[in-house]
Amino acid sequence: MLGKSSIPCTVLASVLLQFIGSCSAYPIILEAVHHDRTCIDVNIGDGDDAHLLFLPLPEDVTDELEDWYTTEFAEMTRAESKHFLKDIETPPADIMKKTKQYRTHSKVTCTLQEDDERQSTKTQTLKYFTPTMMQHISKNSKGWNMNRGNYRLCFTARGSADVRILFDMIKISEYQEKMKKKHIVKKDHLTPLEETFDETAALAKAVIDEMHYMEKREIRMKKTADGTNARIRWFSYVSIAVLMGVTWLQINYLKGYFKKKKVL
């Protein structure tokens, strides 16, 4: 899909995501082109689950509004924040006044589809300046399957203008333990040894999830390559058959032509 070797890009993306996960990162900003379909792939580790959060903004939104809503949206996805998985706080008077100037309604539809399934898993309509959350998108089934945990997230903008979409994904495994310990702080929880152990366990789980993802990706690429090779092989057979048929017709036509001209 990338046109080059996908393994280095995947490893680089994994390292980048681990670096972002250790920081207070801002959400991803996607561009949904009007009258078009914009899609991204989402992967969830085995036995894990996730929430997806969205907040659409008009294409011509001012920098002040974009900065304010981006900051508030980032607070919704930060486990240490008091607005974690809650609605954004009431905007100040000046922000509210500028927000009301955009009277157009968002015509963006978000569709979540599991890999190798034709029907959509979830579909939601997004509204401007309003955060929307898809909860528990995984089936939470145990065991491993090559098609489990791979999702395609597509945005369709039906209006006359492009739409900016703030997007973030919250993995339950990464935040569940933090939420459990949020109100329980003991001295032994703050020891450097336990902090190091927790970091090591988190990195080990990230490595295992990445290995499973690479295995699933390799299987999907092999299926795609086998299907392409099979179609090329049958196309070659059909081409040879058509060529032989055309050759036979040409030979018969030339024989008949020369017989009429009494050359043969």
Side-chain angles (χ1 to χ4, degrees):
M1 182 175 65
L2 298 175
K4 296 181 180 179
S5 178
S6 59
I7 296 180
C9 297
T10 306
V11 174
L12 180 60
S14 175
V15 174
L16 181 60
L17 288 175
Q18 291 182 12
F19 173 75
I20 292 176
S22 62
C23 306
S24 297
Y26 272 14
I28 300 174
I29 300 180
L30 303 174
E31 292 285 345
V33 182
H34 67 284
H35 297 300
D36 200 356
R37 188 179 177 90
T38 304
C39 297
I40 60 174
D41 292 330
V42 177
N43 177 261
I44 302 176
D46 297 328
D48 204 349
D49 201 352
H51 303 319
L52 303 182
L53 287 89
F54 317 95
L55 195 152
L57 300 174
E59 177 65 20
D60 57 345
V61 66
T62 62
D63 294 338
E64 182 181 3
L65 286 179
E66 183 177 357
D67 292 341
W68 190 88
Y69 278 99
T70 302
T71 303
E72 292 300 320
F73 187 77
E75 288 296 305
M76 292 179 58
T77 61
R78 190 168 61 89
E80 296 79 8
S81 173
K82 63 180 180 180
H83 297 290
F84 180 62
L85 294 181
K86 298 180 180 179
D87 200 0
I88 59 178
E89 64 179 12
T90 304
D94 56 336
I95 297 295
M96 181 66 73
K97 182 179 179 181
K98 294 178 180 179
T99 301
K100 290 182 179 179
Q101 294 178 358
Y102 296 91
R103 298 183 179 180
T104 57
H105 297 284
S106 169
K107 296 181 180 179
V108 179
T109 302
C110 176
T111 303
L112 182 70
Q113 181 179 352
E114 192 169 2
D115 194 16
D116 290 345
E117 288 190 6
R118 296 182 180 181
Q119 296 182 352
S120 302
T121 305
K122 292 184 179 181
T123 301
Q124 286 188 346
T125 302
L126 309 181
K127 298 181 180 179
Y128 280 145
F129 306 107
T130 303
T132 304
M133 179 167 58
M134 284 187 180
Q135 297 183 350
H136 302 290
I137 65 174
S138 179
K139 295 181 179 179
N140 286 328
S141 52
K142 297 181 180 180
W144 180 85
N145 185 285
M146 67 177 181
N147 298 322
R148 187 174 300 144
N150 299 313
Y151 296 88
R152 170 147 292 193
L153 188 62
C154 296
F155 302 93
T156 304
R158 300 185 302 274
S160 59
D162 299 345
V163 180
R164 298 181 187 180
I165 301 175
L166 304 181
F167 165 71
D168 206 344
M169 180 174 69
I170 300 177
K171 287 189 176 181
I172 303 300
S173 62
E174 296 178 0
Y175 293 97
Q176 196 171 30
E177 195 65 27
K178 292 183 180 179
M179 295 300 294
K180 288 181 180 179
K181 295 183 177 181
K182 188 174 182 180
H183 303 290
I184 303 176
V185 180
K186 296 181 180 179
K187 185 177 180 180
D188 55 347
H189 289 170
L190 303 177
T191 59
L193 181 60
E194 184 171 356
E195 291 179 359
T196 304
F197 178 79
D198 290 342
E199 292 177 359
T200 304
L203 289 176
K205 187 178 185 307
V207 171
I208 294 175
D209 290 344
E210 183 65 23
M211 291 174 61
H212 283 166
Y213 172 74
M214 292 294 297
E215 186 175 358
K216 296 175 185 178
R217 186 184 181 90
E218 182 181 358
I219 293 174
R220 291 201 308 271
M221 293 179 66
K222 184 178 184 301
K223 290 172 60 178
T224 303
D226 292 342
T228 303
N229 292 335
R231 287 192 293 269
I232 293 176
R233 184 171 61 253
W234 282 109
F235 178 77
S236 301
Y237 293 157
V238 173
S239 299
I240 294 174
V242 171
L243 181 61
M244 294 179 64
V246 171
T247 303
W248 181 79
L249 290 175
Q250 288 180 340
I251 292 175
N252 288 336
Y253 174 78
L254 291 175
K255 282 184 177 180
Y257 176 79
F258 288 135
K259 286 181 179 179
K260 288 182 180 181
K261 297 294 183 179
K262 298 182 179 180
V263 176
L264 294 177

